[in-house]
Amino acid sequence: MTTWTTVCRYDDLLPERGAAALVGDLQLALFRCHDGQLFAIGNQDPFTGAWVLARGIVGSRAQRRTVASPLHKQVFDLRTGECLDAEGVTVPVYEVRSREGMVEVNVT
Amino acid sequence: METNSGRRLVVVGNGMVGQHFVEALRERDVDRHWQVTVFGEEPRRAYDRVALSSYFDGASPQSLDLVASGCYDGHGYRLHLDEAVIAIDRAARTVTTSRGRAVGYDELVLATGSAPFIPPVPGADLPGCFVYRTLDDMDAIRAAAQRATARVGLVVGGGLLGLEAARALRLLGLAVHVVEMAPRLMPLQVDEGGGALLRRLVEELGVTVHLGTFAAAVTEAAPDQAAPRLVTLGDGTELPVDLVVFAAGVRPRDQLARDAGLAVGARGGVVVDAGCRTADAAVHAIGECACIDGTVYGLVAPGYAMGSVLADRLAGGNAEFRAADTATKLKLLGVDVASFGDALATTDGALEVTVNDPVAGSYAKLVVSDDATTLLGGVLVGDASRYAALRALVGRPLPGDPLAMLAPRGDGGVPGGALPADAMVCSCHAVTREAIDTAIAGSGLTTVAEIKGCTKAGTGCGSCVPMLSTLLTESGVTVNKALCEHFDCSRAELFDLVRVQQIRTFSELVGRYGRGRGCDVCKPVVASVLASLGNGHILDGEQAALQDTNDAFLANIQRNGTYSVVPRIPGGEITPEKLIAIGTVARDFDLYTKITGGQRIDLLGARLEQLPAIWRRLVDAGFESGHAYGKALRTVKSCVGSTWCRYGVQDSLGLAIALELRYRGIRSPHKIKAGVSGCARECAEARGKDIGVIATENGWNLYVGGNGGFRPRHADLLLTDVDTETLIRTIDRFIVFYVRTADRLQRTSSWVESLSTGPGGEQADGLDYLRSVLVDDALGIAAELDAAIERHVGAYEDEWAAVLDDPVRLRRFVSFVNAPDTPDPSISFVTERGQPRPVLLGLPSAAVPAPAVPASGVPAAVPAR
Ligand code: SRM
Ligand SMILES: Cc1cc2nc3c(=O)[nH]c(=O)nc-3n(C[C@H](O)[C@H](O)[C@H](O)COP(=O)(O)OP(=O)(O)OC[C@H]3O[C@@H](n4cnc5c(N)ncnc54)[C@H](O)[C@@H]3O)c2cc1C
Ligand code: SF4
Ligand code: FES
């Protein structure tokens, strides 16, 4: 099932940085990349338990879009949620889109 | 789906050797002939036990992980953790596990390692008694140290393991006693001379050593005593302690084999032949649990060799284990200790050549054959820089006079060129010099990291790493200085590019000189370079996206996602009014408060969305927030100086304040700290700072390149008896020269040291060079350096206040973009000693290696616009 929840205006997101969003009880980390692409992953850093991934540095590793945890800098693939520095560690990923200037996520 | 066609292999134990074996087998088992099932009793998959103690230097369990990516991806290779094998039925060829599972095997491998030996001391089972073997042990010791009231620990055993445990307890802030039965420390590795020096060096580090005696009993102390426990030594001495760590050796874990009727050695260990096979052709043993050729090895390298031999055998080969190199090199409590070959000179007619330098704190001994032509072994204490080279020469003709090879200090001793092609450079992974040279030339390797990736050399105990860089340099390749995968140049080169080409944005820089979209390494470097060259507020325009995560919020993140705020208190001088103001801010926002080691007051536990309001209050009280994060000037520490102190000869405090205000906000390759003392008594500890100033009768002495932290170093004297104007001008130039030419994350200490090596590797006097550049303007850049500081001072603004004035910058200081004032529900505090303390956060289940995303319908991010 797909239910889109409107979160914020597209312009509320800064290019190449993240922002945390609260959908129900769920904390998401939304990212707007340099070319306008949007990504949404879970906000919790699986290594420390802190809800901070939205505050990481956005970048790339080879062809993948990434964010580095602000606590100990482990890098996560924004598209798959996979941690590229520790095998088997993954954060959830969510669908996200921009419609009529608004950012919507699907967390179902 | 798995098929049942493969042969069933069960591995008991997922430790260092068991894992090495599985990977070695997997490499050879290309057509997946084997169905491998591994049982590990520990809750974690294999980790680097050799580096276990680095846990206390901040290593995380993840960084110690040893399992190659994709090793257990389900194609016939499975790993079951937290599940021990409890019995073997050799007739039925099955094992039974602690979870009640019975699993059949065609071949069985025992890789159960060893268990700590606990001497039969009454009370050794009391709470507060620990062993030193697993990550869980480390956690338990750390927790006990945190609860310690008397802050004293005792280690039973003065060998390799005991000294590592002693170091750990020191790092945990405990006073430490070490008790060793033998008449010297590390009796198995070093001789008497080395042991004596080792004892002195270890005692200088605050460890009390008791030799020739033993722990006779551990008892609970009476409740009114300062320490909860009492250890009685063999000589009657009673020591009050919080905790005891037993590190008195290990015993092979061979019980499973004993129960199954397999032979064990005289001192334990599953008896195996040179192919690692027991008397039962279907059962094998490797690593510390095996007794091979009558020997049980307690080191990882022989274990790895056994793993490789067995993998080869199971893949149809006939490799044999040969008596292994038991060389060791360790840094124990900061003291280098190495022994290799026949260290204790047991070979007939062996000669010993010894150099003892008590002043420099180094002892070295080479054991050579009776005709003094062949190296047999040796011991190095205090300075082990020649270890890698010497060890590789064991059993070979000496390339030179043995005494000359031990001569104090050189530059690492034997050059790589002296090593024959088949000399073993990395004994952990059995890699020869030839293999390394071939890899460098054949694959065009330019970094030590690449050599590690390609040959595995250097990925064991790490002691051969210096030799790897020597071989790399000697091979004539240009050593790679690339910052990261996005830029091929170093930080200094990037600085020049940005400065000379007048580049203003990351996009332009990465477009012209790099690739990709940057990362957590290069982005903060570029942010720092742009800030040094004056590009306005660090949160403006594209720069905002480059800032390291603390700079992005102008505060330092804490483990629970809150922040600390450390108001700037130049020189540590503060009025009563301002002290009260800090108190009221802390009280009103319920912040934890602590006096820092840098003469400031730290306010911790601020939520992201509270930061602007806290800054507002501080600004109103006449403060700015300060850098406790960021690569920038931290504090200029000061003593009270001539204003008050009866010894003071200059106004150290006035100078400290002037310096702090002059250099605040400057962005640099690493943090910069300074100190000013009013006389040679040095109460401000200026010589432990990047920039240290000490007052003299005639003016000031300037010291540079000092450092506390991980590798403490006293600053070197650059100028003597200069006036204030000359002093400040020289510091100006020192800072800008450092900012422009140092590497990323290079403190001034190692930068100053690096100036002592000329471009061709020759020794130079780095301080003379610095003086010539900063004072005599040998490079003709002084005017430019002066101008850079003037620009900085002229353009300085309070970055925190500047956020408050700008609604666009303020917008990012919210908890949630769609609920700006809702506090992060995961953050909570409890009260401890009258102040808030963060409640530790639970880890998500996804942190254990298991896919967190459902296999079907993985939601993919949808591109927008
Ligand atoms: C607060 C304080 C401890 C305290 O409670 O006293 C402290 C706290 C931190 N230190 Fe420190 N250091 C503090 C004085 C020191 C000192 C002593 C001094 O400055 O006189 C040293 C040794 C001197 C030196 O730096 O050479 C020191 C050596 C370090 C190091 C090791 C640096 C090195 O080169 O090895 C780090 C790690 C780093 O910077 O990479 C570090 C890093 C840190 C960080 C920033 C770690 C982090 O990123 O979270 C801590 C920030 C806490 C916070 O958010 O407030 N801290 N730290 C001290 C703050 C002083 C201040 O007012 O600025
Ligand atoms: C603090 C410390 C420092 C060290 N430093 C060095 C060093 O500098 N150089 C060096 O060469 N060596 C060093 N060693 C020794 C080195 O760690 C060992 O030689 C190496 O780990 C041996 O590997 P192993 O696989 O045989 O045993 P282990 O790594 O101990 O692995 C055995 C594993 O098997 C598991 N196991 C046991 N029984 C069962 C069962 N019935 N069912 C399932 N699982 C079971 C255990 O829980 C364990 O995880 C050090 C050891 C320690 C503790
Ligand atoms: S360094 Fe000298 S002047 Fe400063 S407080 Fe100490 S004794 Fe006094
Ligand atoms: S000798 Fe241990 S890693 Fe090379």
Side-chain angles (χ1 to χ4, degrees), chain B residues 12-18 39-42 49-50 52-53 83-85 111-114 132-133 160-161 164 253 256 286-289 298-301 328 330:
Chain B
V12 188
N14 188 230
M16 296 189 75
V17 172
F39 291 102
E41 168 198 65
E42 293 185 62
R49 205 178 298 287
V50 169
L52 203 53
S53 296
E83 180 165 5
V85 168
T112 49
S114 38
Y132 202 82
R133 180 81 194 173
L160 191 158
L161 207 58
E164 274 202 36
R253 293 187 68 173
L256 275 179
I286 52 177
E288 284 194 342
C289 68
L299 293 171
V300 73
T328 31
L330 307 142

Side-chain angles (χ1 to χ4, degrees), chain B residues 110-436:
Chain B
L110 301 175
T112 49
S114 38
F117 168 65
I118 302 182
V121 177
D125 52 352
L126 286 174
C129 293
F130 300 93
V131 294
Y132 202 82
R133 180 81 194 173
T134 65
L135 271 172
D136 285 349
D137 294 333
M138 304 300 114
D139 284 332
I141 291 172
R142 188 194 302 249
Q146 277 165 1
R147 291 190 305 265
T149 48
R151 310 220 57 78
V152 182
L154 181 138
V155 176
V156 177
L160 191 158
L161 207 58
L163 293 182
E164 274 202 36
R167 173 172 174 279
L169 296 185
R170 289 290 296 151
L171 286 177
L172 291 169
L174 302 190
V176 181
H177 294 274
V178 171
V179 184
E180 166 59 49
M181 193 113 77
R184 61 173 183 271
L185 292 172
M186 292 189 70
L188 296 184
Q189 287 86 6
V190 307
D191 62 356
E192 218 178 291
L197 176 67
L198 185 59
R199 172 184 191 157
R200 201 194 86 203
L201 295 176
V202 164
E203 288 194 324
E204 277 171 11
L205 297 163
V207 173
T208 313
V209 178
H210 308 263
L211 296 177
T213 184
F214 54 96
V218 184
T219 44
E220 298 274 11
D224 59 334
Q225 298 296 303
R229 274 160 274 281
L230 206 61
V231 178
T232 312
L233 302 187
D235 58 11
T237 312
E238 293 197 330
L239 300 168
V241 302
D242 293 286
L243 58 98
V244 181
V245 178
F246 288 95
V250 296
R251 295 287 180 268
R253 293 187 68 173
D254 53 15
Q255 195 60 43
L256 275 179
R258 287 175 194 261
D259 293 346
L262 290 165
V264 297
R267 305 176 64 197
V270 186
V271 172
V272 293
D273 63 16
C276 301
R277 197 171 62 174
T278 67
D280 178 339
V283 184
H284 317 262
I286 52 177
E288 284 194 342
C289 68
C291 176
I292 191 161
D293 267 344
T295 307
V296 176
Y297 291 96
L299 293 171
V300 73
Y304 279 178
M306 290 180 227
S308 303
V309 165
L310 181 58
D312 180 75
R313 290 278 177 127
L314 292 181
N318 54 5
E320 289 201 354
F321 178 83
R322 280 177 305 155
D325 185 0
T326 53
T328 31
K329 178 185 158 207
L330 307 142
K331 201 170 194 78
L332 290 167
L333 293 141
V335 181
D336 278 327
V337 179
S339 80
F340 51 94
D342 181 13
L344 302 179
T346 54
T347 311
D348 264 355
L351 302 174
E352 301 181 36
V353 185
T354 308
V355 178
N356 196 352
D357 184 348
V359 181
S362 76
Y363 169 92
K365 180 180 83 174
L366 291 188
V367 179
V368 297
S369 59
D370 48 8
D371 55 358
T373 57
T374 309
L375 182 62
L376 298 176
V379 175
L380 306 169
V381 177
D383 171 10
S385 50
R386 291 166 202 75
Y387 168 73
L390 288 172
R391 185 194 61 187
L393 287 173
V394 169
R396 298 170 184 284
L398 285 167
D401 170 20
L403 258 181
M405 297 178 66
L406 288 178
R409 272 295 155 205
D411 51 344
V414 188
L419 291 183
D422 61 343
M424 195 67 83
V425 171
C426 177
S427 58
C428 287
H429 289 285
V431 189
T432 60
R433 167 181 189 161
E434 188 175 20
I436 292 169

Side-chain angles (χ1 to χ4, degrees), chain A residues 7 10-11 16-17 20-22 27 34 39 44 46-51 55-56 58-62 73 87-88 90 93 96, chain B residues 62 69-70 485-486 517-518 523 544 547-549 561 563 811 816-818 824 826 842 844 846-847 849-850 859 861-862 865:
Chain A
V7 179
Y10 181 85
D11 292 334
E16 293 199 273
R17 284 232 91 109
L22 197 59
Q27 287 198 36
H34 65 284
F39 295 92
Q44 188 175 31
F47 294 94
T48 58
W51 296 78
R55 300 178 220 160
V58 176
S60 68
R61 189 177 284 184
K73 300 276 156 87
E87 201 209 342
T90 318
V93 296
V96 53
Chain B
Q62 288 77 22
S69 89
E485 70 174 67
H486 306 104
R517 275 318 288 183
K523 280 184 160 181
Q547 300 303 329
D548 211 335
T549 40
Y563 287 86
R811 255 178 44 198
F816 298 103
V817 63
N818 58 343
D824 173 349
S826 75
V862 180
R865 289 197 170 171

Side-chain angles (χ1 to χ4, degrees), chain A residues 4 6-17 19-23 27 30 32 34-40 43-52 55-62 66 68-71 73-75 78-80 86-98 101, chain B residues 45 60 62 67-72 485-486 506-507 515-520 523-524 542-549 552-553 557-563 608 811-812 815-819 822 824-827 841-844 846-853 858-865:
Chain A
W4 291 99
T6 303
V7 179
C8 60
R9 289 182 303 139
Y10 181 85
D11 292 334
D12 290 337
L13 302 180
L14 298 162
E16 293 199 273
R17 284 232 91 109
L22 197 59
V23 177
Q27 287 198 36
L30 305 177
R32 167 177 161 187
H34 65 284
D35 58 358
Q37 276 200 58
L38 292 178
F39 295 92
N43 197 26
Q44 188 175 31
D45 172 19
F47 294 94
T48 58
W51 296 78
V52 294
R55 300 178 220 160
I57 296 182
V58 176
S60 68
R61 189 177 284 184
T66 58
S69 164
L71 283 167
K73 300 276 156 87
Q74 292 92 349
V75 168
L78 286 177
R79 199 177 53 77
T80 63
E87 201 209 342
V89 179
T90 318
V91 294
V93 296
Y94 303 95
E95 277 186 289
V96 53
R97 66 181 183 189
S98 154
Chain B
R45 59 190 201 171
S60 63
Q62 288 77 22
V67 178
S69 89
C71 183
Y72 300 104
E485 70 174 67
H486 306 104
F506 180 80
S507 292
R515 64 191 76 82
R517 275 318 288 183
C519 63
D520 54 298
K523 280 184 160 181
E542 220 198 46
Q543 272 186 95
L546 306 179
Q547 300 303 329
D548 211 335
T549 40
F553 296 103
I557 197 165
Q558 307 297 316
R559 59 192 315 151
N560 65 343
T562 62
Y563 287 86
L608 177 54
R811 255 178 44 198
R812 68 186 69 223
S815 50
F816 298 103
V817 63
N818 58 343
T822 307
D824 173 349
S826 75
I827 297 174
L841 296 157
L843 295 183
V848 297
V853 186
V858 176
V862 180
R865 289 197 170 171

